[in-house]
Amino acid sequence: MQFQEVIKDRFSCRNYSGKEVSPETLRQIMEAVHLAPSACNRQPWRFIVISRPDDGEGRKAVIDSYNRQWIETAPVYIIACGLPGEAWVRPFDGKNHTDVDVSIAVEHLCLAATSLGLGTCWVCNFDPAVLRQGLGLGEELDPIAIIPLGYPAEGTVVPEKKRKDYSEIVVCR
């Protein structure tokens, strides 16, 4: 798939088929995360992969932290966690780049999945305390996003992209 096609085809999938994701495919996707850039190459992240049916307790933690029925259809959950203590901090204003770095890695994940015919969705509206407790995360790990992953259900179509006008987001000087 050409890159422009991949970015056009990537969407927030909220309905997955029952087809499992092979370990090889999952490895390819996570290799894209592994190759993602980060500020000063700190890589301040950990990605927790929960595959059905391997981890019933992990799946329960995700579902309990994000109470939307559609998420249960995804065969894989990937929990993107940041490590703020390991991230680069901009010296001029003290901005910690954990969220920026993790976001870059998550988008690599989503684009890699799309290129392989899988769907993903960024989920940030979850209860981090419930997820942290359910997964036994230490205080050093900050759960930033849940990425459900799987093959879109039959009949799923890529929705039309609704974006601001180009001139509203790009300023040339």
Side-chain angles (χ1 to χ4, degrees):
M1 196 181 281
Q2 294 296 315
F3 184 69
Q4 290 298 320
E5 290 177 57
V6 172
I7 59 176
K8 286 178 183 173
D9 286 353
R10 193 253 163 243
F11 71 102
S12 295
C13 182
R14 292 184 177 89
N15 192 14
Y16 300 89
S17 75
K19 183 178 178 182
E20 297 299 322
V21 179
S22 74
E24 300 81 36
T25 300
L26 196 51
R27 174 74 185 200
Q28 277 184 275
I29 293 166
M30 295 314 293
E31 186 61 29
V33 170
H34 182 240
L35 294 172
S38 61
C40 295
N41 198 30
R42 298 281 182 94
Q43 303 165 55
W45 54 56
R46 294 296 178 277
F47 286 79
I48 301 165
V49 179
I50 301 169
S51 296
R52 183 174 52 208
D54 299 338
D55 188 348
E57 288 303 310
R59 287 188 65 80
K60 182 179 180 335
V62 169
I63 292 164
D64 288 349
S65 72
Y66 180 72
N67 191 14
R68 305 291 190 288
Q69 201 166 20
W70 70 263
I71 201 167
E72 295 180 36
T73 66
V76 177
Y77 303 136
I78 300 172
I79 316 307
C81 297
L83 290 157
E86 294 183 13
W88 179 74
V89 177
R90 186 168 48 208
F92 303 100
D93 62 358
K95 178 176 176 32
N96 185 299
H97 276 251
T98 304
D99 284 356
V100 173
D101 291 341
V102 171
S103 294
I104 293 167
V106 169
E107 191 59 9
H108 271 54
L109 183 162
C110 292
L111 293 174
T114 299
S115 76
L116 296 170
L118 286 96
T120 58
C121 184
W122 285 67
V123 175
C124 296
N125 183 22
F126 62 90
D127 186 331
V130 170
L131 191 63
R132 181 184 303 284
Q133 181 179 8
L135 295 178
L137 302 179
E139 286 301 313
E140 73 282 359
L141 283 174
D142 180 20
I144 294 174
I146 300 169
I147 311 302
L149 173 84
Y151 293 94
E154 188 173 331
T156 300
V157 295
V158 177
E160 180 183 338
K161 301 246 188 251
K162 297 177 182 136
R163 298 292 186 261
K164 291 181 179 180
D165 188 75
Y166 183 84
S167 65
E168 290 183 67
I169 62 165
V170 177
V171 179
C172 297
R173 296 185 182 211

